[in-house]
Amino acid sequence: MLSGEGRSLMVRKGFYTKIGNDFVGVYLASDGPKLFINKEVYELMSPYWDVEMVMGRQYHIVNFYWNGEVKLSVRCGAEQDMFITLYDYLSCRSERQARLA
């Protein structure tokens, strides 16, 4: 379950974070949600993406795949909840798409 702050991120038009020199985020567009990694944009209404998260005691690993290819792989401290929110956001979209199909 998302924290109160996580829920507020889910209803915003978008959110992002900086990882090293990269910007990663999600925003809502008229044709559906999009994930961006710097200048690359991925349509989340498309069936070509997948996301996985491995949660550890000290670190989390988040992987975003497009057509089976890793486009983002991030290892972050367990206290960093931005990626938990991003994972939850993408998971909710994925479950919704499956129900609509």
Side-chain angles (χ1 to χ4, degrees), residues 25-40:
V26 172
Y27 65 94
L28 299 177
S30 60
D31 58 342
K34 309 221 186 281
L35 175 112
F36 68 88
I37 303 168
N38 296 317
K39 293 183 180 183
E40 297 294 320

Side-chain angles (χ1 to χ4, degrees), residues 35-51:
L35 175 112
F36 68 88
I37 303 168
N38 296 317
K39 293 183 180 183
E40 297 294 320
V41 177
Y42 303 95
E43 296 182 13
L44 298 179
M45 294 300 288
S46 164
Y48 303 118
W49 67 273
D50 199 0
V51 65

Side-chain angles (χ1 to χ4, degrees), residues 3 5 43 59 66:
S3 66
E5 181 179 323
E43 296 182 13
Y59 297 98
W66 186 261

